[in-house]
Amino acid sequence: MGKGRLEAFSDGVLAIIITIMVLEMKVPHGDSLASLRPLLPVFISYILSFIYIGIYWNNHHHMLHAARQVNGKALWANMHLLFWLSLVPFVTGWMGQNNFATLPVALYGLVLLMAGMAYYLLAQSLAALDGKNSTLAQAFGKDWKGISSIVIYAAGIGLSFVNHWLGFATYALVAAIWFIPDKRIEKKLVKDQSKEEI
Amino acid sequence: MGKGRLEAFSDGVLAIIITIMVLEMKVPHGDSLASLRPLLPVFISYILSFIYIGIYWNNHHHMLHAARQVNGKALWANMHLLFWLSLVPFVTGWMGQNNFATLPVALYGLVLLMAGMAYYLLAQSLAALDGKNSTLAQAFGKDWKGISSIVIYAAGIGLSFVNHWLGFATYALVAAIWFIPDKRIEKKLVKDQSKEEI
Amino acid sequence: MGKGRLEAFSDGVLAIIITIMVLEMKVPHGDSLASLRPLLPVFISYILSFIYIGIYWNNHHHMLHAARQVNGKALWANMHLLFWLSLVPFVTGWMGQNNFATLPVALYGLVLLMAGMAYYLLAQSLAALDGKNSTLAQAFGKDWKGISSIVIYAAGIGLSFVNHWLGFATYALVAAIWFIPDKRIEKKLVKDQSKEEI
Amino acid sequence: MGKGRLEAFSDGVLAIIITIMVLEMKVPHGDSLASLRPLLPVFISYILSFIYIGIYWNNHHHMLHAARQVNGKALWANMHLLFWLSLVPFVTGWMGQNNFATLPVALYGLVLLMAGMAYYLLAQSLAALDGKNSTLAQAFGKDWKGISSIVIYAAGIGLSFVNHWLGFATYALVAAIWFIPDKRIEKKLVKDQSKEEI
């Protein structure tokens, strides 16, 4: 009930975020290869952010698919997630335009960390709503993946003050971990269905 | 009939409004913490506007869910609401970039007031369409909540000329009132269903 | 078959057009009433364009609802309509920022004229697809409304060279004519259904 | 399973790409015909890109319609396609604002080539998923059309270094080839259905 419109709204916001990020790559004035060069860091941060938004869309899709219902609290938990993701174009632009300087890299990580927390909270609120024995509650039981991501983001923020490339590499690592859609839900779904068949 | 596409279009517009607002937070040139400081008021007004659009989406969602039908008049009442909400990114930017100066705060309130009125008119037109005994008509019977919000917005505009922070605080207060999705509709729906069961 | 996704895509494009138009109202630097004054013509043209896009969405909605099917030709006729409508933010900005000067007003009219033609072609292609006796074919039989709008737009372009406000007033007149959703389709649908019942 | 939301997300991204491209046509300061003239190359590249995004939407629509299912790999193949298409507004702006200079024309072609490859990979992954005897697998059997487009794009990039207009003409040629929606799928669908009837 209402799940459909929540998905539609989230899809809309994620589609816009992923697309307006490209507006931070300002068209350069010259027509030479040299005029493109300053855009290279912006392009690299664009790629990472594109992958991140793609991962969020993908996992959000899987989680909502498994969720049986949503309520007011879940709607706001979702809005909270979209809030932090809506800041991604800003921090992507700041990080890229400043050639991966320390503070922008740290702030980029902070936004990822907050989004990671918001996703964790959304997952927990959906799992609680579906009940202890639901697919979602068991798939997200301890949610080691969600929690460890948050820890690694925090480490990445710290590392970015040691060496900004270390920070960036840490964020790329978390992206790699999440790249594959969340198998836990699929596994649980398959198990539940085979149980029902018995 | 047509309700689905009205929801889809409104979702689209609201998703875009909420996302392009972030474009008013221009990426600063420096990479220091000091270069971020001027963005703080813009960020604060962004948060308030994000919550407001979220509230509108949430309540719009509930109201349309309960509505049995839409007609030409309701389509335009909805368009009228979207018009005022489409001005939110502009007034958010103006208020934030001028550090909550009196006139921008008052204009921000005026746009909220007009959006509040437009929402009231939409609710009334949908309730009238569904008939006197409908869930919607009874939930929105006197619509004290809608009317008092409009009155408080007006008070907020006045107060912003006394002290601009008072104006801002008043708008935040209305947001807090509306934060929780409209229970009236849910209550009425539950009541109607239990009656039917008897 | 495929009608749903055509509607979804058109809704998306129209929702974005209507929302990014507001980006042409650049946030002014000052915080006084005087700093808002130069935005007044931009705001007026924004209102007219908002109404126009609203009208197009509304009538597009009605037409697609009545259409039984779409084919490749109809998809491109629809894309052609979206192309001209996508230019509306540009001509709205040009007209507003130049205080309704002659040439911008004429170009605004030209874009409206082309969009009007594109809508006419789309209606004809959908009606042809549904067959001579279809609801759509009979509702759009001679399509006096579509053709006369195009003629009035052309007149408006001419008049804008006499006096730019005359041009603007002419476009506002066509908007007023179309403001009410196309009754022809609803009438035909009701007739067809009562026939079937006999 | 999940196909619907993949289509919705892709539609959203494509609708935004096609619409924000128009933001690269900056509203000129003067109100004379002369002030519009510098925008002519931007307008021409806008038209070509609009047609390209329209073609991708159209064919994407057909392909997904025929696909029976999607999986994680297909979701990422789709995201990869959207990534390259998201760069179209940037290269369109760069090509237009530099009056079709050699390098921007070549880069425009490169983005088209990468998008063409991404589309090919998406088609192959969907066809593999549906199985050897599926409609999709047989329609895209050798996919001469997809492969030859990629070859022609590569030729166009090369030709743009000989004469930039040659490059542009080559890209327009590929657009013309793809303008008509992919008949292969429709043909195969009709064949399969007539077989089933026997």
Side-chain angles (χ1 to χ4, degrees):
Chain A
M1 191 197 283
K3 224 180 71 170
R5 215 183 151 183
L6 182 75
E7 290 183 315
F9 185 72
S10 308
D11 278 5
V13 171
L14 293 175
I16 300 158
I17 290 172
I18 219 170
T19 323
I20 63 168
M21 270 193 309
V22 89
L23 295 176
E24 295 296 342
M25 283 209 301
K26 313 282 183 204
V27 173
H29 286 293
D31 62 357
S32 64
L33 207 59
S35 64
L36 278 186
R37 211 161 298 155
L39 288 175
L40 193 67
V42 185
F43 186 56
I44 291 168
S45 49
Y46 177 64
I47 293 172
L48 183 63
S49 296
F50 194 97
I51 292 170
Y52 259 113
I53 302 291
I55 287 167
Y56 270 105
W57 176 75
N58 216 334
N59 286 299
H60 190 268
H61 171 98
H62 271 76
M63 189 164 64
L64 263 293
H65 187 77
R68 288 198 216 122
Q69 53 195 315
V70 292
N71 61 357
K73 210 183 143 189
L75 289 183
W76 280 108
N78 190 59
M79 212 54 116
H80 179 232
L81 171 63
L82 295 180
F83 175 77
W84 291 108
L85 293 179
S86 81
L87 297 177
V88 168
F90 175 81
V91 289
T92 303
W94 201 41
M95 183 167 77
Q97 283 165 34
N98 286 293
N99 212 352
F100 298 95
T102 301
L103 211 69
V105 171
L107 191 72
Y108 186 87
L110 185 66
V111 167
L112 289 182
L113 178 109
M114 298 307 290
M117 272 191 185
Y119 190 80
Y120 175 82
L121 291 174
L122 174 61
Q124 293 301 323
S125 86
L126 287 171
L129 200 63
D130 276 8
K132 240 183 179 171
N133 301 310
S134 66
T135 308
L136 224 52
Q138 296 193 2
F140 282 103
K142 306 248 162 89
D143 201 0
W144 289 119
K145 204 173 165 185
I147 294 167
S148 47
S149 306
I150 295 168
V151 173
I152 309 179
Y153 287 137
I157 297 172
L159 285 170
S160 66
F161 287 97
V162 179
N163 179 312
H164 52 143
W165 288 112
L166 265 177
F168 184 78
T170 312
Y171 310 148
L173 176 79
V174 183
I177 295 173
W178 282 92
F179 190 75
I180 301 136
D182 216 315
K183 289 282 175 198
R184 293 173 295 174
I185 294 170
E186 276 174 38
K187 268 187 208 158
K188 264 308 294 169
L189 273 171
V190 170
K191 257 195 209 165
D192 289 5
Q193 280 163 352
S194 52
K195 267 185 208 162
E196 277 166 32
E197 277 159 26
I198 302 166
Chain B
M1 190 198 283
K3 225 180 72 171
R5 215 181 153 186
L6 181 75
E7 290 183 314
F9 185 72
S10 308
D11 277 3
V13 171
L14 292 175
I16 300 157
I17 290 173
I18 219 170
T19 324
I20 64 168
M21 269 192 312
V22 89
L23 296 177
E24 295 297 342
M25 282 208 300
K26 313 282 181 204
V27 174
H29 286 293
D31 63 357
S32 64
L33 206 61
S35 65
L36 277 186
R37 212 162 296 156
L39 287 175
L40 193 67
V42 185
F43 186 56
I44 292 169
S45 49
Y46 177 64
I47 293 172
L48 183 64
S49 296
F50 194 96
I51 292 171
Y52 258 113
I53 302 291
I55 287 167
Y56 269 104
W57 176 75
N58 216 331
N59 286 297
H60 191 268
H61 171 97
H62 272 76
M63 188 163 66
L64 262 294
H65 187 76
R68 287 197 216 123
Q69 52 194 317
V70 293
N71 62 356
K73 210 183 145 189
L75 291 182
W76 280 108
N78 190 60
M79 213 52 118
H80 180 232
L81 171 63
L82 295 179
F83 175 76
W84 290 109
L85 294 178
S86 80
L87 298 177
V88 168
F90 175 80
V91 288
T92 303
W94 202 40
M95 185 167 76
Q97 283 165 34
N98 287 292
N99 211 353
F100 298 95
T102 301
L103 212 69
V105 172
L107 192 71
Y108 186 87
L110 186 65
V111 166
L112 289 182
L113 179 108
M114 297 307 290
M117 271 190 186
Y119 190 80
Y120 175 82
L121 292 173
L122 174 61
Q124 293 300 323
S125 86
L126 287 172
L129 201 63
D130 274 9
K132 240 184 180 171
N133 301 310
S134 65
T135 306
L136 223 54
Q138 295 193 2
F140 282 104
K142 303 246 161 93
D143 201 359
W144 289 118
K145 203 172 165 186
I147 294 168
S148 45
S149 305
I150 295 169
V151 172
I152 309 178
Y153 287 138
I157 297 173
L159 285 170
S160 66
F161 287 98
V162 180
N163 179 311
H164 52 145
W165 288 112
L166 265 177
F168 184 77
T170 312
Y171 310 148
L173 176 79
V174 184
I177 295 174
W178 282 92
F179 191 75
I180 301 135
D182 217 315
K183 289 281 174 196
R184 292 173 294 175
I185 294 170
E186 275 174 39
K187 270 188 207 160
K188 264 311 291 171
L189 272 172
V190 172
K191 257 196 209 166
D192 290 4
Q193 281 164 354
S194 52
K195 266 185 209 163
E196 276 166 33
E197 277 159 25
I198 303 166
Chain C
M1 192 196 282
K3 223 180 72 169
R5 214 180 152 187
L6 181 74
E7 289 184 315
F9 185 72
S10 307
D11 276 5
V13 171
L14 292 176
I16 301 157
I17 290 173
I18 219 170
T19 323
I20 62 168
M21 269 193 310
V22 90
L23 296 177
E24 294 298 342
M25 282 209 301
K26 312 283 182 204
V27 173
H29 287 292
D31 63 357
S32 63
L33 207 61
S35 66
L36 278 185
R37 212 161 297 155
L39 287 175
L40 192 67
V42 185
F43 185 56
I44 292 169
S45 48
Y46 177 63
I47 293 172
L48 184 63
S49 295
F50 194 96
I51 293 171
Y52 258 113
I53 302 291
I55 287 167
Y56 269 105
W57 176 73
N58 216 332
N59 286 296
H60 191 268
H61 171 98
H62 271 77
M63 188 163 65
L64 262 293
H65 187 76
R68 286 198 216 121
Q69 52 194 315
V70 292
N71 62 356
K73 208 184 145 189
L75 289 184
W76 280 108
N78 190 60
M79 214 51 118
H80 179 233
L81 171 63
L82 294 180
F83 174 75
W84 291 109
L85 292 178
S86 80
L87 298 177
V88 167
F90 175 80
V91 289
T92 303
W94 202 39
M95 184 167 77
Q97 282 166 34
N98 287 291
N99 211 351
F100 298 96
T102 301
L103 213 69
V105 172
L107 191 73
Y108 186 87
L110 187 65
V111 167
L112 289 182
L113 179 109
M114 298 308 290
M117 272 190 186
Y119 190 80
Y120 175 83
L121 292 173
L122 174 60
Q124 293 300 323
S125 86
L126 286 172
L129 201 63
D130 275 9
K132 239 186 180 171
N133 300 312
S134 65
T135 307
L136 224 53
Q138 295 194 2
F140 283 103
K142 304 245 163 89
D143 200 359
W144 288 119
K145 205 172 164 185
I147 294 169
S148 45
S149 305
I150 296 169
V151 172
I152 308 179
Y153 287 136
I157 298 173
L159 284 170
S160 67
F161 287 99
V162 178
N163 179 313
H164 52 144
W165 289 111
L166 266 177
F168 184 76
T170 311
Y171 309 149
L173 177 78
V174 183
I177 295 173
W178 282 92
F179 191 74
I180 302 135
D182 218 313
K183 291 281 173 193
R184 292 174 295 176
I185 294 170
E186 278 176 35
K187 269 187 208 159
K188 265 310 291 171
L189 273 172
V190 172
K191 257 196 210 165
D192 290 5
Q193 281 164 350
S194 53
K195 265 185 209 160
E196 276 167 33
E197 278 160 23
I198 302 164
Chain D
M1 191 197 284
K3 224 181 72 170
R5 215 182 151 184
L6 181 75
E7 289 183 316
F9 185 73
S10 308
D11 277 4
V13 172
L14 292 176
I16 300 157
I17 290 173
I18 218 170
T19 323
I20 62 168
M21 270 194 309
V22 88
L23 295 176
E24 295 297 343
M25 284 209 300
K26 313 281 183 205
V27 173
H29 286 293
D31 63 356
S32 64
L33 208 60
S35 65
L36 278 185
R37 212 161 298 153
L39 288 175
L40 194 66
V42 185
F43 186 56
I44 292 169
S45 48
Y46 177 63
I47 294 172
L48 184 64
S49 296
F50 194 97
I51 293 171
Y52 258 113
I53 301 291
I55 288 167
Y56 269 105
W57 176 74
N58 216 333
N59 286 296
H60 190 268
H61 170 99
H62 272 77
M63 188 163 65
L64 263 293
H65 188 78
R68 288 197 215 124
Q69 53 194 314
V70 293
N71 62 356
K73 208 181 144 192
L75 288 183
W76 280 108
N78 190 60
M79 213 53 117
H80 179 232
L81 171 63
L82 295 180
F83 175 76
W84 291 108
L85 293 178
S86 81
L87 297 177
V88 167
F90 176 80
V91 289
T92 303
W94 201 41
M95 182 166 79
Q97 282 165 36
N98 287 292
N99 212 350
F100 298 94
T102 300
L103 212 68
V105 171
L107 191 72
Y108 185 88
L110 186 65
V111 167
L112 289 181
L113 178 109
M114 297 308 290
M117 271 189 185
Y119 190 80
Y120 174 83
L121 291 173
L122 174 61
Q124 295 300 323
S125 87
L126 286 172
L129 200 63
D130 274 7
K132 237 185 183 172
N133 299 311
S134 66
T135 307
L136 223 53
Q138 295 194 2
F140 283 103
K142 305 246 162 91
D143 200 1
W144 288 119
K145 205 173 164 184
I147 295 168
S148 46
S149 304
I150 295 168
V151 173
I152 309 179
Y153 287 136
I157 297 171
L159 284 170
S160 67
F161 288 97
V162 180
N163 179 314
H164 53 145
W165 288 112
L166 266 178
F168 184 78
T170 312
Y171 310 148
L173 177 78
V174 185
I177 294 173
W178 282 93
F179 190 74
I180 301 136
D182 218 313
K183 290 283 175 196
R184 292 173 296 176
I185 295 171
E186 277 175 36
K187 269 187 207 158
K188 265 309 294 171
L189 273 172
V190 171
K191 256 195 210 166
D192 289 5
Q193 282 164 350
S194 52
K195 266 185 209 161
E196 277 167 31
E197 278 159 25
I198 303 165

